[in-house]
Amino acid sequence: MALSEYDVRSLEELFSGWGYPRGNTKKLLRRYYDSAGESIDGVQVARELKERVLGEMGLRSTRVLTRQEASDGTVKLLIGVGESSSTSKRALSLASATVGASVECVLMPSFRSDRAAGCVSSQVGCAMGCDFCASTKTGVERSLTSGEMVEQFLWLRGEAARLGRRLQTIVFMGMGEPLMNYDNVTAAIRRMAGEDLGAIGWRHVTVSTVGIVPGIDRMTEEGLGMYLAVSLHAPDDDTRSAIVPTGKRYRVADILAAVRRYQAATGRIVTIEYTLLEGVNDSDAQARLLAELLDGGRMHVNLIPYNAIGPGVSGREYRRPSQERMDRFLDILRGRGVVAHFRRTRGADIDGACGQLRERVLA
Ligand code: SF4
């Protein structure tokens, strides 16, 4: 297993099993995270131990297959997963000939010139079937390991450093449903956020879910302290289940009840994600109903202008509403006291929507 799969305790156990003292494990991992996963040079540990780490484990198990940079500075990476950095050159060239399993992650420059935000994936593909999403068109291949998610964080940290920025926040909003890979996602966040390793801080991590109620409740029980975003996309169950199949299982009222439990336990403001689709969920009545549902909750609404992906899983094609219609939707929410914004469109001149880059490369 690559170094990215270990936390301090599990690496101490491994080194101890190899007959080395546990003492410098933390320093070695800190150096690894500080170098964006590129090096363990300069750490005072036995040379044979370093050689064994590099030779038997490898620093990474993933590699960058494709890199796109947009004119607004957004960088999108297609990451090949399931390969070892200690793999032979022949195996690597075979792997690059066939793209294999891959996921996307994105670096977005912040308004502040020295900061950036990252978006990572939690699964290869997605089983949730949201009809307006490119990530789900080929279903889910598998969940990512915690190390494969940590490595996306490290690739993005390296990209940010090259742009003279610091990777300050991470959102789990890429491919996959994070709460369907709960254990690995939270293990990865512990390493990204933890002071001894990635040191990004729990308050700078957001997990975005399509509304898996038991997963939200587990986050509430465990009190881990990250932010929560919920992709609602419609205020009523009929509209929602037509575009988000999990809506048949988890009703809007049950999802919002789970959100309120999370808020009560953590005090966190929760973001409600709402992709605007022309003639589907963008009416005045739907805006009013959404405002009513959120009344009294400490929730922010993120309105997402739809990014065209061609036909969805159902074969239906969606369109982005006119700017006038979207402005009206926003005004109704704000007029009823809801804190709401449009999500800034990033990387418009590259494969901007989640799953698009992978879809194009695999096509
Ligand atoms: S929107 Fe999110 S949950 Fe829905 S299919 Fe896409 S990746 Fe999966």
Side-chain angles (χ1 to χ4, degrees):
M1 281 198 308
L3 198 53
S4 58
E5 299 289 352
Y6 289 84
D7 59 12
V8 174
R9 216 175 61 191
S10 57
L11 195 61
E12 278 178 351
E13 275 165 25
L14 180 75
F15 286 174
S16 156
W18 285 357
Y20 293 99
R22 296 165 178 252
N24 286 319
T25 311
K26 210 182 266 186
K27 273 192 219 158
L28 185 140
L29 276 174
R30 189 60 195 254
R31 167 73 184 128
Y32 172 68
Y33 278 81
D34 285 351
S35 72
E38 285 177 11
S39 171
I40 52 170
D41 289 347
V43 186
Q44 300 295 313
V45 294
R47 189 165 50 86
E48 309 81 59
L49 176 58
K50 268 195 220 168
E51 283 169 3
R52 206 161 166 188
V53 168
L54 294 172
E56 291 183 27
M57 299 165 70
L59 298 182
R60 301 185 196 266
S61 67
T62 65
R63 59 201 291 257
V64 176
L65 297 172
T66 307
R67 179 185 186 280
Q68 290 184 334
E69 186 165 348
S71 52
D72 64 4
T74 299
V75 176
K76 192 161 199 173
L77 303 177
L78 185 68
I79 304 289
V81 295
E83 303 150 15
S84 165
S85 57
S86 58
T87 313
S88 69
K89 281 195 178 128
R90 187 179 125 68
L92 280 180
S93 67
L94 284 175
S96 57
T98 60
V99 171
S102 55
V103 296
E104 296 177 2
C105 58
V106 184
L107 184 80
M108 296 159 285
S110 305
F111 289 111
R112 279 190 57 164
S113 61
D114 58 343
R115 306 279 164 89
C119 174
V120 296
S121 296
S122 55
Q123 296 181 305
V124 182
C126 185
M128 299 296 106
C130 303
D131 208 25
F132 48 84
C133 174
S135 294
T136 197
K137 285 190 180 182
T138 52
V140 66
E141 277 179 48
R142 67 172 172 88
S143 287
L144 295 179
T145 66
S146 59
E148 288 165 339
M149 288 178 267
V150 164
E151 288 184 31
Q152 292 175 64
F153 163 74
L154 294 172
W155 287 119
L156 295 177
R157 177 173 266 185
E159 286 287 344
R162 273 187 280 284
L163 297 172
R165 293 174 180 265
R166 184 161 67 81
L167 179 61
Q168 196 193 19
T169 53
I170 281 288
V171 293
F172 281 75
M173 259 179 216
M175 298 170 66
E177 165 51 57
L179 299 187
M180 296 303 280
N181 186 16
Y182 189 96
D183 290 336
N184 289 345
V185 165
T186 50
I189 295 174
R190 280 177 211 281
R191 306 212 283 283
M192 295 174 191
E195 289 250 313
D196 293 334
L197 303 178
I200 200 168
W202 289 92
R203 295 177 65 86
H204 292 120
V205 179
T206 299
V207 170
S208 175
T209 174
V210 74
I212 308 297
V213 171
I216 298 173
D217 283 340
R218 197 167 160 198
M219 282 174 65
T220 304
E221 280 155 29
E222 294 181 2
L224 295 178
M226 56 271 202
Y227 278 90
L228 173 68
V230 174
S231 298
L232 204 61
H233 304 308
D236 62 281
D237 290 314
D238 286 346
T239 309
R240 188 165 195 269
S241 26
I243 52 175
V244 178
T246 52
K248 295 188 187 85
R249 182 143 184 218
Y250 303 113
R251 298 170 60 82
V252 170
D254 296 334
I255 294 169
L256 291 178
V259 164
R260 290 195 158 90
R261 289 193 287 275
Y262 187 75
Q263 285 192 308
T266 63
R268 292 276 193 255
I269 289 170
V270 173
T271 302
I272 301 295
E273 307 280 350
Y274 196 106
T275 301
L276 284 163
L277 306 167
E278 185 184 69
V280 176
N281 62 358
D282 62 343
S283 71
D284 289 3
Q286 285 161 319
R288 284 193 293 269
L289 181 55
L290 180 62
E292 212 173 283
L293 286 176
L294 304 185
D295 189 33
R298 292 175 61 239
M299 301 177 212
H300 288 180
V301 177
N302 219 350
L303 294 175
I304 306 164
Y306 171 64
N307 252 332
I309 58 151
V313 179
S314 70
R316 182 172 180 182
E317 286 213 35
Y318 297 91
R319 289 210 314 228
R320 179 186 292 196
S322 67
Q323 191 59 50
E324 194 187 2
R325 177 96 296 273
M326 295 195 294
D327 287 344
R328 167 95 183 134
F329 198 95
L330 179 70
D331 287 348
I332 292 173
L333 292 180
R334 287 183 172 170
R336 282 164 168 70
V338 176
V339 179
H341 305 276
F342 285 122
R343 185 196 281 178
R344 209 152 51 106
T345 305
R346 315 299 294 261
D349 50 341
I350 57 175
D351 296 300
C354 168
Q356 269 187 324
L357 173 59
R358 175 174 177 262
E359 192 187 23
R360 187 175 58 74
V361 171
L362 289 176

